[in-house]
Amino acid sequence: MIDGEKVRERISTFLHLSPGRAVDGAALTDLVTESFVLVQLVIDLQEDFGIRLDGEDLRDVRTVGDLIAIVVSRGSPQS
Amino acid sequence: MIHDDELWILSFYRRSEISGALFFGRLAQTIRAGPIQHDLTKHFSDESMHAWYWTDCIEKLGAKPIQVDHSYQDQYLEAAGLPVNIMEILAITQVFERRVIGQYALHRALPGLPAEVEATLNRIMQDEKWHIEWVRDALVSLEPEYGAEHIARTIERYAAADRQVYERTLDEHSGRLKELIARSRRRGPR
């Protein structure tokens, strides 16, 4: 099982966010200056948590909470 | 002295090599240690060198690189969508590298190329062959994880986007390309 708070911590570290900014409702597009940083973040999370994501998984991801949820779901035994 | 159309094309190559270097550099920084990181880092280094080769070539021809707003890759990522995993990164790279080597081969076949341009194309194409090989091998290594069919479908999706962007690029710059070819023919073989 992947711990959602570990994912939040990783997002925060990767994006150099100040404490408290990586809240569930934060829009990812407000936290990054360009879309390629999001690509790097998504690849970093896959590498860090040993999971695989594809475009379909990310189609409806808009916020930090959405991203954490998809990473956690990919790390669960059922996925 | 180099003609404006030729200068634009060489500057476009330079800009595209810089974009490639930045793309691979950022990925090399992100992915974890292993064979793909190793080769991706070398690829990043090669693309940077290619940008330098074009800069040097343009200067040797008595000109200065001009600002080109968009690289081929920028249009490519817009058409194909951003890759979201390492397999997609490699798939888009394979399609792109094939396009690059094809474009450079076409350019090299023009008669009467300035010696500096021919030497630069030859130098870069040596590296491009290795780029295609390592990416192909890396994609094969990912087959157990992603599936050979899924990888093939992804490559085809990016190849379709590539054809679309290439046709658009040719349309946009057909005047420049025709002029380049006409001037080369007038110069004739060296």
Side-chain angles (χ1 to χ4, degrees):
Chain A
M1 281 292 284
I2 294 174
D3 178 351
E5 287 313 302
K6 293 274 182 206
V7 181
R8 188 187 313 280
E9 204 176 294
R10 186 65 207 152
I11 293 171
S12 197
T13 303
F14 190 87
L15 297 178
H16 307 290
L17 299 177
S18 48
R21 281 200 71 199
V23 293
D24 281 349
L28 289 165
T29 49
D30 290 341
L31 300 177
V32 300
T33 50
E34 53 161 325
S35 53
F36 199 73
V37 175
L38 277 180
V39 173
Q40 286 183 278
L41 171 64
V42 167
I43 289 174
D44 180 81
L45 292 172
Q46 291 174 77
E47 297 271 315
D48 216 45
F49 293 99
I51 56 159
R52 202 186 91 201
L53 298 171
D54 58 34
E56 191 63 21
D57 295 323
L58 299 167
R59 200 180 54 189
D60 298 323
V61 168
R62 299 279 180 275
T63 65
V64 167
D66 295 337
L67 185 55
I68 292 172
I70 198 77
V71 171
V72 169
S73 76
R74 284 295 169 275
S76 68
Q78 304 93 303
S79 65
Chain B
M1 189 68 176
I2 187 172
H3 186 268
D4 284 353
D5 292 314
E6 198 157 27
L7 175 60
W8 186 89
I9 286 171
L10 301 187
S11 298
F12 182 72
Y13 290 162
R14 174 182 177 272
R15 170 72 166 82
S16 292
E17 296 287 358
I18 291 173
S19 286
L22 294 170
F23 179 81
F24 291 116
R26 291 168 70 170
L27 290 167
Q29 194 179 23
T30 306
I31 70 165
R32 303 302 187 265
I36 292 179
Q37 186 202 59
H38 176 94
D39 288 343
L40 200 66
T41 308
K42 167 77 166 66
H43 199 142
F44 152 63
S45 158
D46 287 349
E47 302 281 320
S48 308
M49 287 304 293
H50 297 171
W52 153 243
Y53 296 158
W54 283 125
T55 308
D56 192 44
C57 172
I58 292 167
E59 287 174 359
K60 281 178 176 157
L61 291 166
K64 289 184 190 307
I66 55 172
Q67 287 303 115
V68 176
D69 291 334
H70 296 289
S71 68
Y72 193 76
Q73 293 95 320
D74 296 334
Q75 301 170 57
Y76 210 77
L77 293 175
E78 273 172 33
L82 290 167
V84 299
N85 57 46
I86 195 64
M87 183 277 286
E88 291 188 356
I89 298 275
L90 294 171
I92 201 169
T93 300
Q94 186 183 77
V95 172
F96 181 71
E97 291 293 329
R98 283 181 184 158
R99 174 62 70 196
V100 170
I101 209 163
Q103 175 59 32
Y104 282 166
L106 276 176
H107 197 148
R108 194 172 61 172
L110 291 175
L113 277 185
E116 292 83 358
V117 173
E118 191 176 5
T120 304
L121 287 166
N122 285 339
R123 204 170 180 188
I124 292 177
M125 282 176 73
Q126 282 302 315
D127 293 336
E128 299 296 346
K129 284 178 195 155
W130 176 76
H131 293 171
I132 285 179
E133 283 167 16
W134 91 258
V135 173
R136 181 197 58 212
D137 293 348
L139 281 167
V140 168
S141 78
L142 293 175
E143 283 180 3
E145 188 182 347
Y146 289 87
E149 276 186 29
H150 180 49
I151 293 174
R153 278 198 306 274
T154 306
I155 291 171
E156 186 39 50
R157 178 161 60 88
Y158 287 130
D162 170 69
R163 288 191 289 273
Q164 186 190 327
V165 171
Y166 192 67
E167 279 167 24
R168 201 170 60 211
T169 305
L170 284 182
D171 282 349
E172 278 175 20
H173 304 295
S174 62
R176 280 193 178 101
L177 294 168
K178 280 179 189 157
E179 178 59 24
L180 179 70
I181 292 164
R183 290 179 69 83
S184 293
R185 287 193 176 136
R186 283 198 294 274
R187 282 196 297 248
R190 277 188 298 112

